[in-house]
Amino acid sequence: MEKITSLEYNTLIWFIIRACFVELTITKVLALTKQDSWISILIGIIIGLIPFSIFEYIKNKYPNYNYIILNKKLFKYGNIINLIILIGCIILSTCIFWILVHFANSLFLYKTNPLIISIAFIIPICYASTKEMHIISKVSLIIFYISVIFNIMIMTGLTSEIDISNIKPLFENKSKIIETSLIFTALNITKIFFLNIIPKNKVINHSSKINYLTYFITTINLLDIALSSVCIFGIDLATIYEYPAFQILKRVNILGIISKLESILAIEGIFSIFIVITIIIYYAKAIIIQTFKPKEKTNKYITISICSIILILNNIMFQTKEEANSFFIEPLIYIIYIIFVFLPLITLVKSLYHTENIK
Amino acid sequence: MKKLLLIICLILCGCTDYAELNNLSIVTAMSIDKDEDNYKLSVLIANSPKAQTTSKEGEAKTTVYEGTGKTIAEAIKVIDKKSPKQLYFSHINVVIISKEIGKEGFLKTADWLIRHPQTRDKFYLMQVDDDKASDILKIISPLESFPSQSIATLIESSQNAKSTGDTASYSNFIGRVLETGYEPMMYTIKINGDVKKGSKQSNLETAMPNTYLSLGPLAIYKNDKLIDTSTNKETETIQIINNEIKELIYKIKYKNNNINIFSNNIKTNIDIENKSTIEIKVKAKGSIYEIDDYLNIRELKEINNLEKAWNKSIKKDIEKLINNLKYKYQSDIFGFGNMIYKNYPDRWKQIKNNWNEQFKDLNIKVKVNTKITSTGNLTKTLKEGESWKK
């Protein structure tokens, strides 16, 4: 693996945290905690520091190894742990891919068969996944600049629409705040796990401080999106939309001249999902390579196979939107916490008692 | 080959939905009328060929299709069969509903407009009072090519209202209906003159059009149902309280004088004092615009008295309006209930089921603070000048 810069690494954090927020998380968060959504996201940001710190600790403690190799070195049954993670990767990437296809289908291509959309999306994802991490991170950096420009445009264009009194009354749905915070953390923060595929020594000028700073900037940006949705629409209108954060984009009006930008601005959300799925597939491919050690020329067929599985599962896993939504709320959250938080936690505990040098 | 495939996927993924512009009928306005048990829907098409060419004498440039059905979707299906091109709703600018639709409850018909992926929620929503909603789409204006644009311009350039557009927007109406302790309102529009003459090109040929559209007062709703239409004076007072006034010309009676005061600096704050008291504070600065009789405006005392009279008049208008909202319309269009809900949620839980009665008991204090800062270009009245001559 070639080295990537710290900035490129941080843009990956930016996109991984943002992915699925507009397309899924915000709808769930608003439905559960209504005008207290911002409080649940704020608590979610604090809870999210736990998995984020676990990942940072592991990365700093073993700067030469990615998480897959580390499992093999630390545990007797490291391969089994890696295969469990592989299953998690397939499930999570299928769910995220379904969210992407459904988002495009609902808002832009409502007359198109979802199968066609999924084929159109999986091919570029598959192509990107065959590339090395330094190429993916360079693409991420370019898209990051676009993302920042779009975010400035959104903030400028929406300021006049905000009515802060819409977040009142506070703590009306306090019983669900913690549950919602955990959902937010699971869907948005824990995906940073996949950056453990990049060992610390492969990041030029890697700095945990900058990583934490990026974490806070990104999550506060998400908090801003949630607050804007509630403040602009009012909670009652915001909760009737399937994609409230997309609907507020329809109101972006810059200096009374530039408007009707929602389709362009929504591309940023689609890019985030593209990057996160690409990284997950890259991770899954790495597990297969490390576990089964196939010949190098078969590597691209591994990517194609994973993408084909995602494509097939995407079309058979959920028959209706309700089925998908109920899966995203409960089973998926448990799967994410068990595989992407609990397993790294075990690694962390093991590493605390593991004093021998790993070769 | 791989790269080519990738480019094809990225560029052509939307091609299954593609439609040529030539094959689209771009809908810019829509009206909904009640026709016995059915809904009569009319759509105004902006890009018909005759809109793009010079019309012959007596020929209208606009094209309106009508369809009737038990639901809005059914009516659209009927229009779809009539229109040779595919209807495209992304550019809807205005939706007009009839009084009957308002009385029946607008949410019955509102769903399609907000659910359809093509529609945007920031178009204008208006109601007709006595006319048919579909007739509005037929009236052509000398200043704008299409009725939809003419209505939008009417709203946006409404002389005394800077943000009439906010109250008139569709999403604002739906938001108010859904929000706790808030009732919506809607601007009305009316046809002045004969509909048949107004829909012909000849309407544009005279210096003074036979038929034209004008913005009417606000229609007051409760939930999604029309209660009544306010008077012009009430509409002006509502605009003052909602901070929707940009320029106000306010007439007061003072010492047998009809005095008009011009203000472009008027601001209202609504605060909640406690669980049962709301305070409306109006601050305004203005200048004398017109005096039709003698008044010694060089005297500071006289100006102070004039300010007091202006104060009193605005206060009286607001109190009268609040009284009418409490007893005549029984509709909380300013969202006093919403303020109680946001600031005292426990209190709101106790009173929400009985809000109609509680609204009547709500103590609403009105404080007005006005200042006359200028007497215009004159230092005295013309009548005063005339008396010196004698």
Side-chain angles (χ1 to χ4, degrees):
Chain A
M1 185 191 277
E2 282 185 37
K3 285 192 175 185
I4 64 169
T5 64
S6 176
L7 179 61
E8 288 167 357
Y9 181 80
N10 280 282
T11 60
L12 290 173
I13 296 180
W14 166 268
F15 284 116
I16 285 176
I17 293 177
R18 291 174 70 81
C20 298
F21 187 79
V22 169
E23 297 82 359
L24 177 71
T25 316
I26 192 165
T27 316
K28 304 291 170 213
V29 169
L30 287 177
L32 286 168
T33 43
K34 305 208 183 294
Q35 61 267 55
D36 293 330
S37 300
W38 68 277
I39 301 170
S40 53
I41 291 175
L42 205 62
I43 295 171
I45 293 170
I46 296 162
I47 295 173
L49 279 172
I50 300 167
F52 190 79
S53 302
I54 294 172
F55 306 146
E56 278 297 313
Y57 178 83
I58 294 171
K59 197 181 271 291
N60 285 324
K61 175 127 191 190
Y62 303 104
N64 300 322
Y65 299 105
N66 65 37
Y67 186 67
I68 302 163
I69 299 172
L70 196 63
N71 277 337
K72 286 173 75 174
K73 299 222 181 254
L74 282 178
F75 300 101
K76 195 179 171 187
Y77 300 105
N79 278 341
I80 293 172
I81 294 176
N82 285 338
L83 287 176
I84 293 169
I85 294 170
L86 176 67
I87 294 166
C89 287
I90 302 285
I91 294 171
L92 187 61
S93 52
T94 307
C95 291
I96 296 175
F97 189 65
W98 187 91
I99 292 163
L100 173 68
V101 172
H102 185 72
F103 181 72
N105 188 224
S106 298
L107 296 170
F108 307 111
L109 303 165
Y110 44 89
K111 287 180 184 169
T112 308
N113 187 333
L115 179 66
I116 295 168
I117 301 172
S118 52
I119 291 169
F121 278 151
I122 203 75
I123 293 172
I125 288 172
C126 187
Y127 177 76
S129 309
T130 56
K131 300 291 170 194
E132 282 304 310
M133 188 50 79
H134 67 279
I135 297 172
I136 297 171
S137 63
K138 275 197 170 53
V139 172
S140 166
L141 181 65
I142 295 164
I143 299 171
F144 172 75
Y145 292 128
I146 300 170
S147 172
V148 169
I149 293 166
F150 281 4
N151 269 285
I152 293 168
M153 285 169 78
I154 293 168
M155 280 181 207
T156 320
L158 289 177
T159 317
S160 61
E161 300 259 350
I162 287 172
D163 176 5
I164 201 77
S165 74
N166 280 332
I167 61 167
K168 288 202 273 185
L170 299 176
F171 298 110
E172 269 287 278
N173 306 282
K174 52 189 165 202
S175 59
K176 288 183 176 169
I177 286 179
I178 297 296
E179 180 194 338
T180 314
S181 303
L182 291 170
I183 291 173
F184 167 76
T185 309
L187 293 176
N188 287 82
I189 312 288
T190 53
K191 294 195 297 287
I192 296 171
F193 166 85
F194 295 104
L195 288 183
N196 277 330
I197 193 72
I198 309 166
K200 187 184 171 184
N201 67 0
K202 295 288 178 192
V203 182
I204 303 163
N205 298 329
H206 178 276
S207 158
S208 286
K209 270 186 196 167
I210 294 174
N211 294 350
Y212 277 103
L213 188 67
T214 310
Y215 171 84
F216 282 114
I217 291 171
T218 314
T219 48
I220 285 166
N221 185 255
L222 298 187
L223 181 70
D224 178 51
I225 296 173
L227 264 174
S228 302
S229 303
V230 176
C231 290
I232 289 170
F233 285 134
I235 190 60
D236 300 291
L237 193 57
T239 46
I240 65 163
Y241 286 118
E242 190 178 10
Y243 300 109
F246 173 79
Q247 296 296 335
I248 58 166
L249 297 181
K250 288 187 174 180
R251 300 206 175 191
V252 172
N253 191 330
I254 300 161
L255 305 171
I257 312 163
I258 309 165
S259 59
K260 299 187 179 178
L261 293 170
E262 67 274 11
S263 299
I264 295 171
L265 298 175
I267 286 175
E268 193 250 342
I270 295 172
F271 279 149
S272 304
I273 295 189
F274 254 83
I275 288 171
V276 86
I277 297 178
T278 305
I279 292 172
I280 298 175
I281 293 172
Y282 184 89
Y283 200 103
K285 183 180 79 175
I287 292 176
I288 294 170
I289 292 170
Q290 293 292 334
T291 312
F292 302 106
K293 304 224 181 297
K295 285 176 189 167
E296 201 173 314
K297 62 180 180 185
T298 59
N299 283 0
K300 67 178 175 187
Y301 297 111
I302 296 171
T303 311
I304 294 169
S305 307
I306 297 168
C307 291
S308 306
I309 293 168
I310 292 170
L311 185 66
I312 294 163
L313 284 178
N314 175 62
N315 286 287
I316 59 169
M317 207 160 147
F318 308 117
Q319 296 306 314
T320 63
K321 205 186 337 174
E322 284 64 37
E323 260 180 47
N325 281 332
S326 56
F327 182 78
F328 295 154
I329 279 292
E330 283 199 347
L332 183 67
I333 304 295
Y334 297 137
I335 291 168
I336 288 174
Y337 273 112
I338 291 168
I339 299 179
F340 304 123
V341 179
F342 185 66
L343 289 182
L345 190 66
I346 293 172
T347 311
L348 178 115
V349 173
K350 177 89 178 170
S351 70
L352 290 175
Y353 298 102
H354 195 271
T355 48
E356 293 168 37
N357 279 336
I358 297 175
K359 287 178 186 173
Chain B
M1 183 62 196
K2 267 197 296 185
K3 280 180 186 165
L4 184 69
L5 198 64
L6 176 74
I7 291 165
I8 288 170
C9 281
L10 284 174
I11 296 174
L12 303 181
C13 58
C15 285
T16 47
D17 263 5
Y18 98 105
E20 290 283 347
L21 191 59
N22 288 342
N23 297 329
L24 293 177
S25 286
I26 298 172
V27 178
T28 56
M30 189 186 255
S31 71
I32 311 168
D33 282 288
K34 193 85 186 157
D35 184 14
E36 293 175 357
D37 283 345
N38 295 324
Y39 293 110
K40 191 175 133 196
L41 199 79
S42 307
V43 293
L44 177 79
I45 310 295
N47 63 334
S48 62
K50 65 176 178 175
Q52 292 147 14
T53 53
T54 317
S55 299
K56 291 171 196 162
E57 197 180 335
E59 186 190 18
K61 273 189 163 190
T62 53
T63 306
V64 176
Y65 284 113
E66 288 183 346
T68 309
K70 287 267 176 216
T71 60
I72 298 293
E74 223 175 271
I76 296 238
K77 224 159 108 183
V78 174
I79 298 173
D80 245 335
K81 283 178 188 164
K82 287 181 187 174
S83 167
K85 297 177 181 179
Q86 189 189 332
L87 295 173
Y88 186 67
F89 297 97
S90 274
H91 293 275
I92 290 186
N93 219 356
V94 183
V95 171
I96 315 280
I97 63 166
S98 68
K99 200 173 183 175
E100 289 74 36
I101 298 284
K103 280 190 172 166
E104 185 194 64
F106 180 58
L107 285 194
K108 268 189 169 184
T109 48
D111 185 88
W112 182 87
L113 280 163
I114 207 158
R115 194 181 293 273
H116 197 282
Q118 274 176 7
T119 57
R120 315 170 63 81
D121 62 354
K122 248 207 148 179
F123 49 81
Y124 298 120
L125 178 67
M126 308 193 86
Q127 182 214 297
V128 284
D129 224 359
D130 299 316
D131 310 287
K132 281 184 183 173
S134 58
D135 289 342
I136 300 282
L137 304 189
K138 295 170 189 164
I139 307 300
I140 48 175
S141 154
L143 301 179
E144 295 286 354
S145 307
F146 299 106
S148 56
Q149 195 50 45
S150 156
I151 297 163
T153 312
L154 199 65
I155 295 166
E156 282 154 15
S157 63
S158 175
Q159 192 203 344
N160 62 347
K162 74 169 169 186
S163 44
T164 307
D166 277 350
T167 301
S169 82
Y170 183 78
S171 57
N172 188 292
F173 185 89
I174 299 293
R176 291 278 184 266
V177 173
L178 298 175
E179 212 164 326
T180 309
Y182 235 124
E183 304 297 350
M185 49 196 168
M186 198 188 291
Y187 273 93
T188 56
I189 189 162
K190 64 176 181 179
I191 301 169
N192 301 280
D194 184 60
V195 178
K196 271 190 180 173
K197 284 181 184 170
S199 63
K200 287 183 178 164
Q201 199 69 11
S202 57
N203 195 38
L204 311 180
E205 286 163 5
T206 53
M208 213 171 85
N210 295 315
T211 312
Y212 59 93
L213 299 172
S214 65
L215 210 59
L218 280 160
I220 309 280
Y221 277 69
K222 190 165 181 69
N223 296 324
D224 65 329
K225 289 193 173 77
L226 172 69
I227 301 291
D228 207 344
T229 308
S230 62
T231 62
N232 285 326
K233 188 72 192 169
E234 283 170 344
T235 299
E236 185 185 86
T237 312
I238 291 168
Q239 286 175 330
I240 290 175
I241 297 175
N242 276 342
N243 276 317
E244 288 183 352
I245 288 281
K246 185 181 179 187
E247 290 175 354
L248 172 72
I249 295 166
Y250 198 90
K251 195 188 98 181
I252 53 171
K253 198 93 181 156
Y254 178 70
K255 288 185 179 173
N256 291 326
N257 264 319
N258 282 317
I259 299 175
N260 279 299
I261 297 170
F262 170 81
S263 173
N264 58 3
N265 186 351
I266 185 160
K267 192 161 171 36
T268 305
N269 277 322
I270 307 177
D271 296 319
I272 184 158
E273 259 187 20
N274 56 46
K275 289 175 186 176
S276 55
T277 310
I278 303 273
E279 191 177 61
I280 301 174
K281 282 184 199 164
V282 182
K283 267 189 176 179
K285 281 180 185 169
S287 58
I288 294 172
Y289 200 59
E290 186 187 18
I291 303 175
D292 68 353
D293 209 338
Y294 170 79
L295 189 72
N296 186 5
I297 54 174
R298 283 168 297 164
E299 282 277 336
L300 184 64
K301 196 180 161 193
E302 204 71 84
I303 296 289
N304 286 342
N305 286 338
L306 198 57
E307 279 172 358
K308 278 179 194 164
W310 190 23
N311 252 349
K312 206 172 157 187
S313 182
I314 292 181
K315 191 174 177 184
K316 198 175 148 193
D317 285 344
I318 294 175
E319 282 171 347
K320 193 178 167 192
L321 171 73
I322 299 289
N323 215 38
N324 281 346
L325 289 175
K326 280 182 175 177
Y327 299 100
K328 186 181 163 193
Y329 304 125
Q330 299 188 0
S331 177
D332 180 10
I333 55 169
F334 296 119
F336 299 133
N338 187 267
M339 292 180 85
I340 296 173
Y341 165 65
K342 282 176 177 169
N343 293 285
Y344 301 99
D346 294 335
R347 170 73 179 152
W348 177 252
K349 275 175 199 158
Q350 293 165 4
I351 61 172
K352 67 176 179 186
N353 294 328
N354 194 25
W355 176 235
N356 275 347
E357 292 308 309
Q358 294 289 331
F359 179 39
K360 287 174 189 165
D361 295 336
L362 190 68
N363 180 21
I364 298 169
K365 289 182 189 172
V366 181
K367 280 186 182 170
V368 184
N369 182 9
T370 56
K371 203 101 194 130
I372 293 172
T373 52
S374 143
T375 56
N377 276 351
L378 303 180
T379 54
K380 55 189 176 186
T381 57
L382 290 180
K383 285 270 183 185
E384 197 181 347
E386 191 190 24
S387 67
W388 284 353
K389 190 179 154 189
K390 282 169 191 172

